[in-house]
Amino acid sequence: MLPQTWYALDPIWEGDEAIVRDGLPHDRLAPGWQMLLLGDGSPTRHLKLLTGETTEVDVIDMSAIGTHPDGAPAIIKAVPAPHLRRQVWLRTPSGQRLAYAASWWEAAHVDEYLQNRSIPIWDSLSRLHAELYRDVRGIHYGHSAILEKAFGQSGPFWGRHYLFWHQKKPLTLIYEVFSPYLTRYLGPMQR
């Protein structure tokens, strides 16, 4: 039995790599939201630029899950097992939650890359000067009662999953969901 579960969206719609590559019509997902969800840049950096505030991390789970698929996107098979799952809230210093993220790491090497587990992944990896490639593999639109309560916002929500590649090998799988609170900065999700 695994410890805590993670907060996957109950999907209304999901898009694959072709959608990620080509984008969506703007009446389905506005351009600013597409840049956040489909782009290969750092979400913690984007959140800081949007809000003008530092992006802080609340680590809510670090669980060894072994070789269990954990309900993660199927591409988890690319990350060497056994796995460690990390879950975090990304928030402003005042406590406004902006995003939720779950990530799956090769347990044997997680300490090399997350030397300080209380800072964003990108900050940890940047400090190591790790060359990375963010490979967005899917986009999700769906509901989550837990995330509605945690964000203090009604769904549905947009999310994505991607692999981080380092030295031509998959380093981690990350699944992120963004709060509709970000409409304050990005405008409406749809035109």
Side-chain angles (χ1 to χ4, degrees), residues 7 34 123 172 182:
Y7 309 135
Q34 290 200 51
D123 290 350
T172 184
L182 295 172

Side-chain angles (χ1 to χ4, degrees), residues 77-138:
K77 295 173 188 166
V79 178
H83 297 129
L84 180 111
R85 179 188 59 220
R86 176 181 190 247
Q87 296 184 79
V88 301
W89 298 113
L90 301 177
R91 63 169 177 80
T92 63
S94 63
Q96 179 62 55
R97 289 180 176 157
L98 305 173
Y100 160 79
S103 57
W104 294 266
W105 298 80
E106 180 182 5
H109 296 290
V110 70
D111 289 332
E112 291 174 41
Y113 297 104
L114 296 180
Q115 293 172 356
N116 180 347
R117 295 179 182 188
S118 65
I119 63 174
I121 289 172
W122 182 250
D123 290 350
S124 290
L125 297 173
S126 294
R127 289 177 184 185
L128 298 172
H129 301 287
E131 292 181 28
L132 299 167
Y133 171 64
R134 187 183 319 265
D135 183 9
V136 182
R137 294 295 187 102

